[in-house]
Amino acid sequence: MSVKASKSKTIYRCQECGYSSSKWLGRCGDCGKWNSFTEELSVEASLDRGQLTNFSSPLALLNDISTQEHLRIQTGITEFDRMVGGGMVPGSILLLGGPPGIGKSTLMLEIAGRMGQTRKVLYVSGEESREQIKSRADRLQVNAPYLYLLSETNLENILAAIQKVEPEFLVIDSIQTTFRAEVASAPGSVSQVRECAAELLRYAKSSNTIVFILGHVTKDGDLAGPRVLEHIVDTVLYFETEKHQLYRILRSYKNRFGPTSEIGIFEMKSNGLVEVQNPSQLFMGNHGQEPGSVLVSSLEGSRALILEIQALVTRSYSNFPRRMVTCMDLNRVLLLIAVLENRVGLSLGNQDIFVNITGGAKAGEPAADLGVACAIASAFGKLSSDPGTLYIGEVGLGGEVRAVGQLESRIKEAERLGMKQAIVPKHRFPASLKFNNIKVRPIHHIKDAMEWTG
């Protein structure tokens, strides 16, 4: 590989989106990030600098191309396989991100160990030695006869090892430590991440190898170089909980071969990440008859989860009462507080209000509105809600309870968990919908739900 002519110069590049400038800028003109520019040495080379791998296909008519799909490859971890759409597609490239210590390498080693029982797997680490990986594998009880280990950061050497092993499954841990020698910037920079990810993409598509890329996060909690990586890869998976929490939630943000917004729930134990078979039971916790505690339904991809909403309302001794919300949108909760004051008549202006979801889960859809409003009303009136009642519905500005999607699957999940009744929107509620072991109460207005809160 040779470069005909090159000219070196210094440029400044945004480490968030890759935008380059001839001078340092305090704020990126493309993505709007502050203090994201770093100095890099740019090499303007001729266009025939070359690629390490090639990927191309012959010209063909659309009607002449076979539509036969590749069979998906399953890992045997039910939570993970369901999250990626039933298994991994050969030739796909997946990005796994999350905070340090969250369990990215642990999960990848568990998957590599399962795949290495019958298929060739190459695990490349740029952060740990082979002995360190082996030590963690012993702790996780990983025994795979076809799992190869390599400690390397140079992409050319990694591709040489790939050509020697010819794996069906490749893990790169991590993309921020991998570099191309001819790219004149430090490992982890946008230029290095883009070039290395592009080479791995060409290799995956040309060889039908499944490639897993592990990525670090920035101080703001975003994947380093998110716009660069997310556009290149086929699937983006991200741990959205903190490492100090016992349960880890893995979410699919992008998937070209399956549904998005799916989640997988794992529990961190001494022998690694273990999938949680019944997450609704987990998030319900020790739900009882305490004031301000109600159950709601949140849809995560194709799965309906039962979550516990807790609210605490207490007299404020400040001129500006506090509104503290965890795992929910603060503005949405403020809207519900305004509806409770104006449409229901609760005097909450001089009260500190705290709202939390147990277990570290998040409720981002409006179907939890009714439950949040009832939890606040219950906490304010010191009333205990029925522990066997589920609240489902979006609350409008007029206090009306609006319809939500996939109502039947939400109620069936509550019925499976032994709940006794469900408060649901009456609007667009199908009269033919019947259930055997749970009583359904359709309501028009949020006031109608208050009588069931006490």
Side-chain angles (χ1 to χ4, degrees):
M1 185 183 305
S2 62
V3 178
K4 289 184 177 180
S6 63
K7 181 180 179 181
S8 299
K9 68 176 183 179
T10 298
I11 63 171
Y12 296 88
R13 191 180 302 276
C14 174
Q15 298 304 298
E16 292 291 333
C17 65
Y19 177 78
S20 60
S21 173
S22 59
K23 60 180 181 179
W24 185 86
L25 300 176
R27 185 173 185 265
C28 178
D30 191 12
C31 67
K33 289 286 184 177
W34 288 91
N35 299 322
S36 61
F37 279 83
T38 60
E39 183 178 354
E40 292 185 4
L41 182 64
S42 174
V43 177
E44 297 179 352
S46 60
L47 296 179
D48 67 339
R49 182 174 63 176
Q51 300 174 351
L52 301 178
T53 55
N54 294 315
F55 170 60
S56 63
S57 63
L59 183 66
L61 290 171
L62 175 64
N63 294 336
D64 296 337
I65 299 175
S66 173
T67 58
Q68 182 179 4
E69 289 191 16
H70 293 288
L71 294 177
R72 290 181 179 266
I73 299 176
Q74 296 183 342
T75 64
I77 302 177
T78 306
E79 283 289 291
F80 183 86
D81 292 336
R82 181 191 51 77
M83 187 178 55
V84 296
M88 298 173 293
V89 177
S92 61
I93 181 168
L94 303 92
L95 173 64
L96 175 62
I102 195 67
K104 301 186 297 296
S105 299
T106 298
L107 179 61
M108 273 297 94
L109 190 56
E110 290 180 2
I111 294 176
R114 289 174 178 262
M115 302 297 297
Q117 298 291 334
T118 56
R119 305 171 185 271
K120 286 186 178 181
V121 179
L122 177 58
Y123 190 106
V124 181
S125 176
E127 303 173 345
E128 297 177 293
S129 66
R130 294 176 302 174
E131 292 75 18
Q132 289 173 320
I133 302 174
K134 180 62 167 63
S135 176
R136 188 168 72 250
D138 292 339
R139 178 174 57 85
L140 301 177
Q141 299 179 357
V142 172
N143 183 17
Y146 299 103
L147 175 57
Y148 294 84
L149 300 180
L150 175 66
S151 294
E152 182 60 68
T153 57
N154 190 308
L155 184 62
E156 288 83 348
N157 296 338
I158 293 174
L159 291 175
I162 291 173
Q163 293 175 358
K164 181 178 180 181
V165 175
E166 296 183 351
E168 297 181 57
F169 189 90
L170 172 65
V171 178
I172 302 295
D173 183 8
S174 66
I175 191 64
Q176 276 81 19
T177 60
T178 308
F179 71 95
R180 284 191 63 175
E182 60 267 33
V183 177
S185 59
S189 63
V190 169
S191 299
Q192 287 284 5
V193 169
R194 180 178 59 238
E195 289 293 327
C196 293
E199 287 291 345
L200 293 171
L201 173 67
R202 285 189 284 267
Y203 166 74
K205 302 303 179 183
S206 61
S207 63
N208 273 339
T209 302
I210 298 173
V211 178
F212 249 107
I213 294 177
L214 274 65
H216 298 310
V217 296
T218 63
K219 60 183 179 180
D220 295 325
D222 299 324
L223 287 167
R227 295 186 180 181
V228 177
L229 286 174
E230 290 180 1
H231 289 297
I232 291 177
V233 302
D234 298 312
T235 304
V236 178
L237 309 174
Y238 186 76
F239 279 105
E240 63 178 22
T241 48
E242 299 296 334
K243 64 180 181 180
H244 63 268
Q245 294 182 341
L246 180 61
Y247 299 100
R248 312 292 167 86
I249 299 177
L250 182 64
R251 184 180 296 274
S252 172
Y253 284 92
K254 171 187 176 182
N255 192 354
R256 290 194 176 116
F257 309 110
T260 56
S261 297
E262 289 282 357
I263 65 170
I265 303 174
F266 301 87
E267 181 181 1
M268 179 59 77
K269 295 185 177 181
S270 59
N271 59 341
L273 286 174
V274 179
E275 57 183 330
V276 177
Q277 300 291 347
N278 193 351
S280 291
Q281 192 70 42
L282 160 69
F283 291 125
M284 287 173 61
N286 298 321
H287 178 65
Q289 297 182 352
E290 300 85 1
S293 177
V294 304
L295 296 177
V296 301
S297 175
S298 178
L299 205 64
E300 297 289 353
S302 60
R303 169 190 286 174
L305 295 179
I306 306 300
L307 306 178
E308 181 184 4
I309 303 287
Q310 290 184 331
L312 177 63
V313 179
T314 182
R315 179 184 173 184
S316 178
Y317 294 93
S318 170
N319 293 331
F320 301 96
R322 300 182 65 186
R323 304 288 189 261
M324 183 175 294
V325 179
T326 305
C327 300
M328 291 190 68
D329 181 18
L330 173 61
N331 292 326
R332 192 72 189 177
V333 176
L334 293 177
L335 182 148
L336 294 173
I337 295 173
V339 170
L340 288 173
E341 287 188 314
N342 192 277
R343 306 301 182 186
V344 182
L346 300 185
S347 180
L348 301 173
N350 60 345
Q351 304 290 319
D352 289 333
I353 301 177
F354 307 88
V355 179
N356 178 47
I357 300 179
T358 62
K362 295 181 180 180
E365 60 167 347
D369 286 356
L370 183 61
V372 174
C374 289
I376 295 174
S378 172
F380 178 69
K382 303 295 190 296
L383 300 175
S384 299
S385 60
D386 187 349
T389 301
L390 179 69
Y391 297 84
I392 306 173
E394 177 184 357
V395 177
L397 292 179
E400 72 279 9
V401 181
R402 297 178 175 271
V404 298
Q406 300 192 33
L407 182 61
E408 183 177 0
S409 63
R410 299 173 192 265
I411 299 177
K412 284 184 176 180
E413 176 67 10
E415 185 180 30
R416 185 183 68 84
L417 294 172
M419 302 187 70
K420 300 303 180 183
Q421 68 175 350
I423 311 297
V424 302
K426 192 169 186 178
H427 178 60
R428 293 172 56 186
F429 180 78
S432 59
L433 199 59
K434 303 294 182 182
F435 299 92
N436 297 325
N437 301 317
I438 186 171
K439 186 175 182 179
V440 180
R441 298 182 181 272
I443 62 172
H444 277 296
H445 196 273
I446 188 175
K447 286 183 178 180
D448 302 329
M450 296 295 107
E451 60 181 286
W452 306 111
T453 305

